[in-house]
Amino acid sequence: MRKLIVSVLTSLDGYYEGPGHDLAVMPMEDAFNTHNLDLMRQASTLVYGSTWFRGNWEHWSAVAADSSAGDREHETAQLVTSLDSLVISDSLTIASDEPWSSTTRVVSRDQAPEEISRLKEGEGGDLLMFGSSTTWNPLLAQGLVDEVIVLVGAALLGDGSKVYAGPRAQLRLLDAQVLADSELVALRYAVATADG
């Protein structure tokens, strides 16, 4: 059975973006990009909220066309633009002439639990979601997230968007490590089910 894995970068005080949705204040490091690529290599479906989807796809499309980008960036771009994408949104529509139309489907928030469950029962690599806290928080509360990877960066923001705002969730630590050549601590958790 496939897993739904969520990976999110946070400050030490638990914010995944700064005030006003500012990502520039986040403790980004080069190791963050290597970590994301490693996860994508194991995935066959990327799951998004609508806010993150379009900007992410356009950014990596530009990287794919940039001959000066490095091998890691080109591989990331190839995966972002070729893996199947599921966008959870009540407002986004995709026209047939958009460059991502052949690999991307949109489902409403109400339809998302059923669609995620269906995909998890299929064959292939993991379902992978980055950030999009307002999208994955409800999925975790509904028992659909299998693992949460929290990259804790060396910064205190004092304000911003909290990484989780749902009901209490029981987690079990699977692994903790400092990413190579960085100050990012990767905490990998299994989401505990009702039966343990």
Side-chain angles (χ1 to χ4, degrees), residues 38-70:
D38 288 343
L39 291 177
M40 280 190 279
R41 287 172 174 155
Q42 305 302 314
S44 58
T45 303
L46 300 176
V47 183
Y48 294 93
S50 60
T51 302
W52 182 237
F53 168 70
R54 188 180 299 265
N56 191 56
W57 211 96
E58 289 175 348
H59 169 78
W60 288 108
S61 294
V63 170
D66 180 359
S67 61
S68 68

Side-chain angles (χ1 to χ4, degrees), residues 31-196:
F32 173 73
N33 298 314
T34 301
H35 164 82
N36 290 347
L37 176 57
D38 288 343
L39 291 177
M40 280 190 279
R41 287 172 174 155
Q42 305 302 314
S44 58
T45 303
L46 300 176
V47 183
Y48 294 93
S50 60
T51 302
W52 182 237
F53 168 70
R54 188 180 299 265
N56 191 56
W57 211 96
E58 289 175 348
H59 169 78
W60 288 108
S61 294
V63 170
D66 180 359
S67 61
S68 68
D71 290 344
R72 180 188 63 189
E73 286 66 33
H74 277 144
E75 184 180 354
T76 301
Q78 188 273 327
L79 290 169
V80 168
T81 57
S82 65
L83 288 174
D84 287 341
S85 295
L86 178 70
V87 183
I88 300 171
S89 174
D90 292 330
S91 59
L92 182 69
T93 58
I94 296 178
S96 60
D97 62 344
E98 291 182 294
W100 45 78
S101 62
S102 65
T103 57
T104 305
R105 290 183 307 113
V106 179
V107 297
S108 69
R109 288 182 179 273
D110 286 345
Q111 295 170 320
E114 181 179 349
E115 182 61 15
I116 293 287
S117 296
R118 186 187 72 78
L119 289 172
K120 286 174 64 174
E121 291 172 2
E123 298 294 321
D126 294 324
L127 285 72
L128 179 62
M129 190 170 199
F130 296 108
S132 298
S133 187
T134 56
T135 305
W136 69 260
N137 279 196
L139 297 175
L140 189 146
Q142 293 162 347
L144 294 167
V145 176
D146 299 287
E147 290 184 14
V148 178
I149 302 169
V150 181
L151 298 182
V152 181
L156 294 164
L157 300 188
D159 194 9
S161 301
K162 290 170 44 175
V163 70
Y164 185 69
R168 186 181 189 280
Q170 186 67 37
L171 305 176
R172 180 169 51 87
L173 183 65
L174 299 174
D175 187 51
Q177 62 175 310
V178 178
L179 297 187
D181 301 316
S182 82
E183 295 183 355
L184 294 174
V185 179
L187 304 171
R188 182 171 156 249
Y189 296 95
V191 180
T193 59
D195 57 8

